[in-house]
Amino acid sequence: MSIELRQISKQFGEVRAVEGVSFTVQEGELVALLGPSGGGKTTVLRMIAGLETPTGGDLFIRGQRVNDVSVQERNIGFVFQGYALFKTMSVRQNIEFGLKIKKWKRADIDARVAELLKLFGLEGLGARYPHQLSGGQRQRVAIARALAPKPSVLLLDEPFGAVDAKIRQDLREWLVRLHHELNVTTIFVTHDQEEALEVSNRIVIFSRGRLEQIGTPREVYEKPANEFVARFIGVLNVLELKVQNGQARLAELSFPSHGVPEGNTLRIGFRPYAVQISAQTGEYRYRATLKHIFFLGVLLRLELETPSGLTIRTRIIKEEFNRLGIAEGAEVSFQIREYRVLSREGDALSHEVPVAQLVSLAEGI
């Protein structure tokens, strides 16, 4: 494996920024560290880089314990959020800077810079200065500079945070292609869930200095380890129901009690895609009014309001929406095809209810 963290902690005064974090990154992986501000993800990245020293635990890079190894000796490339390019140096000079520090031969430097300029689509821009480049070009120069000395690991701190949405999308796609070509072990920090889902092989999710879950994009979205992950990755409808007469109920909605004792509460969560709607008010079990439509391009986000005032969020592709022929204010029916039983906030999700059972339940069979 390329990187291993064993019970890593970091304390700043009385504040525990990271607490007991353990995970591994395999050779050639592209891993995202994801979480809200203050979750600990950037502190973890800086400890891997050697910019911060752990106050507890052990950190290994390619089998070597590096807790006390300097930044220079770790053979790591680091790209900061704000590029940190040298303003008085040209593109070429920025890229070759680390090679000169490492005392590469001039001919080897020239060959490596030419290789990177071509690989990063920067040919013809070697003589330009950072202020003469677009945001996307500056970010590519920063990554090229980090990769120039052929590091064993590339670390990126919010790599696309300083560019606009269109350039950010282009850079995401470019980073994936670059990673496939170079196969360099890469870890990047982001607070953007969509970015993490789209780009990474695996996602490490942090909250309040703790690791909440690590898994593939599909795993963390479809099988979240706890309610925090379920809420943080994508959109989640959450309902708190009360068990009465063997059924868990909230207004007009009812579900099996799942063994929860009479009079206690049962919390369930379901993704918007699990809500199926019909323009025919009698087709599905529950009725609602279409209150709001949010156009998202290929997808539309809909907000339904039940007769009792509950808000249910769903998503639907544009073609299906057009087929239904509905508009704001329309009366519709809906069913919830699948959901997860939730424990208390932060606890594990109990289990996933079979889709077939839910379809039968929603249709009143």
Side-chain angles (χ1 to χ4, degrees):
M1 67 190 64
S2 186
I3 297 171
E4 182 180 5
L5 283 72
R6 297 181 187 171
Q7 291 297 309
I8 286 290
S9 298
K10 179 63 180 179
Q11 191 156 338
F12 297 100
E14 299 298 317
V15 178
R16 292 188 71 84
V18 176
E19 186 170 355
V21 168
S22 299
F23 66 90
T24 60
V25 178
Q26 301 299 322
E27 197 78 29
E29 269 198 299
L30 177 56
V31 171
L33 307 186
L34 175 67
S37 297
K41 55 191 185 298
T42 296
T43 301
V44 167
L45 194 78
R46 290 175 63 84
M47 285 192 285
I48 296 171
L51 299 174
E52 299 287 354
T53 302
T55 51
D58 295 304
L59 175 61
F60 296 84
I61 297 178
R62 289 189 165 178
Q64 178 190 2
R65 185 179 181 275
V66 296
N67 289 46
D68 303 315
V69 175
S70 68
V71 177
Q72 294 77 12
E73 295 176 286
R74 294 193 185 195
N75 192 29
I76 284 178
F78 196 101
V79 179
F80 297 92
Q81 182 176 353
Y83 315 131
L85 296 177
F86 301 112
K87 297 179 182 179
T88 59
M89 292 185 183
S90 67
V91 168
R92 175 179 294 276
Q93 290 169 331
N94 266 281
I95 294 174
E96 69 181 24
F97 179 80
L99 305 180
K100 293 173 73 174
I101 294 295
K102 291 180 177 290
K103 302 187 184 303
W104 280 37
K105 295 180 180 178
R106 184 71 251 177
D108 293 335
I109 291 176
D110 290 342
R112 181 61 171 163
V113 171
E115 176 189 3
L116 290 169
L117 288 173
K118 181 177 181 179
L119 179 64
F120 282 62
L122 298 168
E123 289 179 295
L125 303 179
R128 292 192 184 181
Y129 288 84
H131 72 274
Q132 297 173 311
L133 304 175
S134 68
Q137 289 170 336
R138 287 196 293 272
Q139 187 59 282
R140 281 185 278 159
V141 172
I143 297 175
R145 182 180 63 184
L147 286 173
K150 299 184 178 180
S152 58
V153 177
L154 176 64
L155 305 179
L156 308 171
D157 186 11
E158 298 277 6
F160 312 134
V163 295
D164 62 40
K166 178 61 172 71
I167 296 175
R168 187 160 59 246
Q169 181 61 46
D170 291 342
L171 283 172
R172 288 177 190 171
E173 296 170 1
W174 170 81
L175 178 62
V176 172
R177 292 195 300 270
L178 178 71
H179 182 261
H180 286 163
E181 185 164 346
L182 298 180
N183 201 37
V184 176
T185 303
T186 303
I187 304 175
F188 72 99
V189 161
T190 182
H191 64 271
D192 187 324
Q193 299 94 325
E194 181 179 316
E195 187 168 279
L197 290 169
E198 182 178 342
V199 172
S200 61
N201 302 134
R202 287 192 302 152
I203 303 173
V204 185
I205 302 173
F206 292 90
S207 173
R208 295 172 292 182
R210 296 184 178 89
L211 192 156
E212 298 286 350
Q213 186 174 359
I214 181 168
T216 65
R218 185 168 184 173
E219 285 170 347
V220 299
Y221 185 83
E222 295 185 349
K223 298 179 180 180
N226 54 46
E227 186 172 341
F228 169 81
V229 175
R231 286 179 177 272
F232 192 73
I233 300 289
V235 177
L236 187 74
N237 292 285
V238 176
L239 301 177
E240 187 162 306
L241 311 110
K242 189 167 185 177
V243 177
Q244 297 174 327
N245 301 320
Q247 287 282 302
R249 303 178 185 276
L250 177 62
E252 59 271 88
L253 306 184
S254 65
F255 300 83
S257 66
H258 297 288
V260 174
E262 191 77 9
N264 287 11
T265 58
L266 172 73
R267 303 176 74 246
I268 67 167
F270 51 94
R271 300 291 189 189
Y273 66 75
V275 180
Q276 187 172 11
I277 66 173
S278 169
Q280 305 299 317
T281 55
E283 182 169 355
Y284 297 131
R285 182 177 182 181
Y286 302 118
R287 298 180 62 181
T289 301
L290 177 54
K291 297 295 290 186
H292 299 290
I293 301 171
F294 302 93
F295 181 74
L296 305 175
V298 176
L299 290 173
L300 290 92
R301 179 164 61 88
L302 311 181
E303 285 189 359
L304 310 179
E305 185 178 280
T306 69
S308 65
L310 294 176
T311 296
I312 304 293
R313 293 167 293 179
T314 183
R315 289 195 178 192
I316 188 171
I317 62 173
K318 183 171 63 175
E319 288 76 8
E320 177 67 10
F321 178 79
N322 291 339
R323 185 189 68 78
L324 289 173
I326 53 179
E328 287 186 356
E331 297 297 316
V332 299
S333 62
F334 73 93
Q335 65 175 354
I336 300 167
R337 295 180 296 176
E338 64 180 36
Y339 62 88
R340 284 179 174 267
V341 175
L342 307 177
S343 297
R344 297 182 304 274
E345 180 72 34
D347 287 350
L349 303 190
S350 300
H351 62 281
E352 188 167 10
V353 180
V355 176
Q357 177 185 346
L358 287 166
V359 172
S360 296
L361 173 67
E363 292 177 347
I365 297 175

